[in-house]
Every structure is written in structure tokens, then in C-alpha cells.
Amino acid sequence: MDTQSAQQRTPWGMISLVYLGGVVAAMSLGKFAPVGPAVTAELGLSLSQLGWVISTVVGVGAAVGLPFGYLIRRYGSERSLVAGLVLIAVASAAGAGADGYAWLLAARAVEGVGYLLVTIACPALILRLACERDRGTALSIWATFVAVGLGASTLAGGVIGAALGWRGWIGILAGLTLVMALVAQARLPRGSARQPVAGPLPRARALAWPGGLAAAFCLAALVTIPVVVLLPTLLVEQFGHSAASAGAVSSVISLLSALGGVAVGMLLRRGLSVGVLALAGLPTLPAAWLMFGGEGSPQAALAGAAVISIANGFLGALVFAALPLVLERLDHADVGNGIVAQAGSLGSLLGPPLFGLVAEGPGLPALVPVISVGIVASVGALLLVGRKAARTLPSS
């Protein structure tokens, strides 16, 4: 009886290790943000070129997320996680020695492959490790990895970059990522989690509902992530903040998205349905007006940005938590996560330039209807998926 009970417990220590792997990967995603001026000055990059260096990692996911889901299904989630971390570490080390734009961009493309492996493998592995009642909670916590990783990268990169230069910062992060890969290799379970997944490949019909979740994720990312990207510019140009002050405030606002992910886990454990939780995205509408609707105060703009950041984390976590509820089989998780990763990357990639075009054209107030349409469509897609996911997780 005790053995059976133990087998039904969720190995939270193992899941924490998987989560840390995602956080370390996300630190590499944002590693150039705190040292961007130093990189552009030393390598003679334009701001546009620096933008491509930063976004190339996400671009890889936007292009090949679904095919990589099938690849990870074949070779196993644990192997793919370790391989992804090793790729990030090697590419980071190569980037630390870059002498120009082409070299740096190529290194970032390889990092993008590693990052994609990690971001598809980790939630699939968490889904298999967690027992049924804890899956939603575990996956919603997983969804906070980007916010935590970017926040840690911003804080650590600023300090280490100032002391050792941008190459020193990137080299240290490469070493940390390699250590994480070795720990994952040694500690993650061998056996079924390491072996390629058995069972039939999911057909197109089996991916329809995961595709609905992916569409919701893409739309939410498209209209919420650029808000944090634009926030420093808004604070400097509209409200007279210094660049340092605007950057610090924006980092805090970005970290608030992790609160949304934690909230989803708590609410799912209380038995609330996906459809009900989806409605929590709607406060984004008045928040968008607070930010861009007129000549408001900086306090109002920051309040609006905070609500939008939390909603971004909440909706993203809800997508990950709902995925196992709409899969035909749990061993379709790799492919399902591939669709979700590709959609989220696509929204993250296209959102900032879209917002830039709108802001430079009709002006900042025109962003209010853009955000409103995107959020309403995202919430609508989640409501449809919620009808499919008729059951909820058991309450505590």
C-alpha cells in the first residue's frame, strides 16, 4: 500500500530540476539585454542588427516548432533537454568569442535550436513526471520560466557585465548552462522518460484542439509581450524617466508575469475550469486604455502594464495547463508542445514590429483596439477549448 502511494506522488524535486533547466535556457534568451550597448559599441552593430541578434532565438521556434515536436517524440524528452542545454552552452561560448555580426548571428541561430529543444522537452517531461491531480499546477508553474529567466539574466548580466565585460558575462552563462546539462544528464530518470515514445503518431485531427490552444497562445503573446518591450520607450519619451530608471521598472513589470502562472496553478487545484479561468484575460482591455488611451499619468501607465504582464503569464500558464486535457493521448505531448511553442514564438516575434508600426503610424492610442481584438480572440479560443476540456483537475 505504501509503495503504491509513493508511486502516485509527484516527484517535485525532479520537476524543479526540469524547471531550472528552462530558467537557465531563458537566461540565454535574454542575455544581450543588459549588455546590448557594450556589444554594439565593440562590434560596431546597428540597433537593427542587435535586434536580430536578440530575436533570432525566437525566430527558430517560430519556423520549426512543430517539426521539432516530432523529433523530440522520436528521441525522447530527457535526451532532448540535455542536448538542448549542451547546444546553448556551446553556442554561447562561441558567441563570447564573436568578432562580428555574422558570427554572432550564427551562434544565436544554434542557440535557437537548443532553446527550442528545451522548451518543447521540458513541459512534455513534466507532464509525464507529475501525477494527474498535479499536472495543471506543475505545467502552470513551468510557464513562468521565461519571466524568471529573463529577470535573472537582466539582474545578473548587469552586474557581471559591468565587472567582466559582455564576453565575460556570456562565458559565465555558457558555463552555467553546461553545468545544468550535466546535472540533468545525471539526475533525470533513466528508462521510460529517456526512451523514444512508443505508440502511433498523432494525426491531424488529433492536433485540432492543441492547435486551438496554440492559436490562443499566439494571440496573447502577440499583444501582451510587446507592451513590456515598449514600456521603457514610453516611460522615457512620455514621462521623462531616465534610461536606467525605465529599464529597472520594466524588469520588475516583466517579472510580474510569473504571478499569473502561479495563480493558474492555485486556481486549477481548487477545481476551476479552463473556460472560467480564461475570462481572467479580459482585464487587459481597461489596462490597455490606461497605458495608451490618452495623456494619463505614469502611475496609470505602470498599473496598466502590470495588469497586462500578469495577464500574459496567466494566459500562457493556462495554455500549458490545459494541454493535457485536450490531448487524445499523453504521449502526444511532445508534438502538442511543439505546436504551442511554435505559435508562442510566432506571436513573440511578430508582436514588437507590429506595435512599432502602429505606434509610428496612427499613434499609441491605436494600440488599444489592437490589444483588445487580440485578447478577445485569445479568450474566445480558450473558451472553446474549455468546452472540450470538460473535466477539471481534482481539487485539493
Side-chain angles (χ1 to χ4, degrees), residues 211-223 278-279 281-282 284-285 315 319 368-385:
L213 278 175
F217 193 32
C218 179
L219 289 164
L222 183 75
V223 298
L279 298 175
L282 295 179
T284 302
L285 307 184
L315 294 176
V319 166
V368 177
V370 171
I371 294 171
S372 300
V373 169
I375 286 296
V376 168
S378 178
V379 169
L382 285 170
L383 288 173
L384 288 175
V385 172

Side-chain angles (χ1 to χ4, degrees), residues 31-106:
K31 67 186 178 186
F32 283 106
V35 294
V39 176
T40 55
E42 183 173 336
L43 300 183
L45 305 184
S46 67
L47 288 179
S48 174
Q49 288 175 323
L50 179 64
W52 279 110
V53 167
I54 292 171
S55 64
T56 294
V57 172
V58 179
V60 172
V64 292
L66 178 56
F68 268 61
Y70 283 99
L71 183 70
I72 290 170
R73 177 182 174 82
R74 179 174 180 180
Y75 289 103
S77 299
E78 186 274 347
R79 288 175 177 172
S80 300
L81 169 56
V82 174
L85 289 170
V86 170
L87 272 178
I88 293 171
V90 171
S92 289
D99 61 359
Y101 175 60
W103 185 345
L104 199 58
L105 195 65

